[in-house]
Amino acid sequence: MRCYDMAVVGAGPAGCTAALYAARAGLDVLVLERLGPGGQMAQTQHIENYPGFPDGADGAALADGMKAGAERAGAIFLLADVRSAQLTGRVKELQTDGGPVLARTVVLATGAGPRRLGLPQEDELPGVSYCAACDGAFFRGKDVAVVGGGNSAVSEALLLSRLCRHVTLVHRRSTFRAAPAGLAALEKQDNVTFCRNSIVTELLGRERLTGIRLQNGRELEISGLFVCIGRTPVSALGGEQLRRTPDGYYCADETTRTGLPGVFAAGDVREKQLRQIVTAVSDGAAAAQQAEHYLGKTSRRAEI
């Protein structure tokens, strides 16, 4: 069975960059992704803070470009769901829905998924979404609400304000964490209402969402609810072999090295202060460099 120099799990900005740098360094690289390139970046319609794009960048186009660059350098991309991993040996084994994959180094770039409200029916009731770019068109001309107070929530509300009849932005605090520029743009929309110091306590409706109930008992009649309250790391892979923070992020320093030789954690799944596309790209480059260094050392040991 073929053994790759590097297996990258996840094709977001961290994974694509790790693949690009590793392939350019002459490593034999396989990228495993269960959906498509870009991760949450691909679901962002307009990215305003990525360097080199003064007018903003389309997230899906940026994702496709990152994948194309890595492929041009020689990396191989495979649609596969990685279900388990044995990471402690010199040769790592990943079990996928298409069979086992062997690699001498592994970069975990699995990213993070949307954090849930934790309410009954949240995962079953049609009308609840975590991506306006994906589902906003289904609510054209209707009333919707967005929950959250950060940049993602403001960006989602701004996008929905161009599609929907009315948007209510529900935030648990009186002030927003979002950047002033984005918040100012949202405040200019005449079909947006801000609902501060409020928490969603109940989803209303049986066959589909018809409204929400807030902590003070107030009810809002809406057809769609978009939840933007942060991310949860996708860090189950590796089980007890890897250390994690109490919040579930892989423990790895700025070099992206984990506690296991030859295993690296890059991007939003890694313990870090700032999670942005640029920091994910930086992690990917660091992981590739560290993997190259690790492979050089282990090869020299094998020769000795």
Side-chain angles (χ1 to χ4, degrees), residues 262-286:
V263 181
F264 309 89
D268 285 2
V269 76
R270 179 176 77 82
E271 176 186 17
K272 59 201 302 183
Q273 291 296 316
L274 181 64
R275 294 182 175 87
Q276 294 285 302
I277 297 173
V278 289
T279 62
V281 166
S282 174
D283 278 4

Side-chain angles (χ1 to χ4, degrees), residues 16 19-20 23 31 64-78:
C16 285
L20 169 65
V31 182
D64 288 339
M66 289 184 179
K67 176 177 181 285
E71 286 181 319
R72 183 179 180 184
I76 299 171
F77 282 72
L78 178 66

Side-chain angles (χ1 to χ4, degrees), residues 114-117 122 127-140 142-149 152-161 163-164 166-171 200 203 208-209 212 222-230:
R115 183 175 296 156
R116 264 56 176 173
L117 291 169
E122 184 175 356
V128 180
S129 174
Y130 304 87
C131 176
C134 307
D135 302 325
F138 296 118
F139 301 92
R140 189 181 299 273
K142 298 180 179 181
D143 295 341
V144 301
V146 177
V147 181
S152 295
V154 168
S155 177
E156 298 276 89
L158 188 60
L159 170 60
L160 291 167
S161 71
L163 299 171
C164 303
H166 190 270
V167 180
T168 302
L169 181 56
V170 181
H171 183 39
V200 179
L203 304 177
R208 66 169 296 107
L209 183 75
I212 55 175
I222 56 172
S223 299
L225 178 68
F226 293 82
V227 182
C228 307
I229 56 173

Side-chain angles (χ1 to χ4, degrees), residues 43 73 144 162 199 250 266:
Q43 299 176 359
V144 301
R162 304 185 184 112
I199 297 175
Y250 288 125

